[in-house]
Amino acid sequence: DLPSSSTLRLAAAPPTAAELQPLPDVALNEARKLGCSYADIRINRYRNRTVSLRTSPERGAPTKVNNVPGVIETGSFGFGVRVIHSGSWGFAAGPQVTKDAIARAVADAVAIAKANAAIQKAPIELAPVPAYRDRYVTPHLKDPFEVPIQDQIAFLQGVHDAARSVKGVGSVNSGMVFRTEDKYFASSDGSSISQLI
């Protein structure tokens, strides 16, 4: 039998979609209040999972086989803001996706833009673009993060059993790597775009 696997999870779960909804408005309203001619915000969540299995004969007891599973699950969550103020770009970002942190980041980005304006040869002028409101999800049959880890290890075990049934095969290593990127973008031009990749 395979030993039970454990995963390293984020200390605090990222906000839900409902909790995220008002956050872009904080950035755009703050930028407007501080006199920006343009602003946008990106909120990103990345998840990674690696599931692996190593099968090999035990040293000194070649008839006994060790199956050693491995599971690593990590994630990151944060945001970035861009502004144009005084004809120059300013940028700021943070890992704490809260209203206060976003408001502070916008103020930092404005300060950076003002500093950049001192050496700006010509003011930034963006080409006009229409506002887009859309959501894109990579076509998939099943979200791998919704599949129980034990099921994924069991799948690899089936692969190992098939490989070891071939004469001469003693050791087998296999793994699966999953990554998801959940991104949200909103701009003062009126765009609101989310992507799940």
Side-chain angles (χ1 to χ4, degrees):
D1 290 343
L2 295 175
S4 61
S5 58
S6 61
T7 60
L8 176 64
R9 299 207 179 268
L10 296 177
T16 64
E19 292 169 330
L20 285 176
Q21 199 164 359
L23 297 179
D25 289 340
V26 172
L28 302 180
N29 291 338
E30 189 70 14
R32 199 173 298 113
K33 186 171 73 176
L34 295 175
C36 297
S37 59
Y38 173 83
D40 65 39
I41 181 170
R42 288 169 175 80
I43 300 173
N44 298 330
R45 180 188 185 199
Y46 302 96
R47 294 179 69 191
N48 300 282
R49 178 187 289 172
T50 301
V51 180
S52 62
L53 184 64
R54 178 170 51 84
T55 298
S56 59
E58 188 171 300
R59 288 185 182 175
T63 57
K64 186 175 179 184
V65 175
N66 288 326
N67 292 300
V68 182
V71 178
I72 301 171
E73 188 162 331
T74 60
S76 60
F77 190 60
F79 73 95
V81 294
R82 303 187 307 172
V83 303
I84 297 178
H85 191 289
S86 306
S88 294
W89 282 110
F91 306 90
Q96 302 286 330
V97 187
T98 65
K99 291 180 179 180
D100 289 343
I102 290 171
R104 283 194 304 272
V106 171
D108 289 345
V110 168
I112 292 168
K114 287 179 178 178
N116 287 338
I119 57 170
Q120 183 79 18
K121 293 182 179 178
I124 299 288
E125 291 185 31
L126 298 180
V129 295
Y132 294 96
R133 294 184 168 272
D134 206 354
R135 176 158 175 80
Y136 172 79
V137 177
T138 300
H140 60 281
L141 297 177
K142 188 179 290 189
D143 181 345
F145 290 91
E146 298 300 321
V147 176
I149 291 170
Q150 287 295 345
D151 291 355
Q152 293 173 341
I153 292 173
F155 174 80
L156 293 180
Q157 183 67 64
V159 172
H160 284 221
D161 292 344
R164 293 192 75 251
S165 70
V166 176
K167 186 177 179 182
V169 174
S171 298
V172 184
N173 291 300
S174 65
M176 297 184 286
V177 179
F178 307 107
R179 177 178 172 86
T180 184
E181 302 177 7
D182 202 353
K183 304 178 180 184
Y184 180 74
F185 170 86
S187 75
S188 56
D189 286 341
S191 288
S192 176
I193 304 166
S194 61
Q195 300 178 35
L196 179 62
I197 300 172

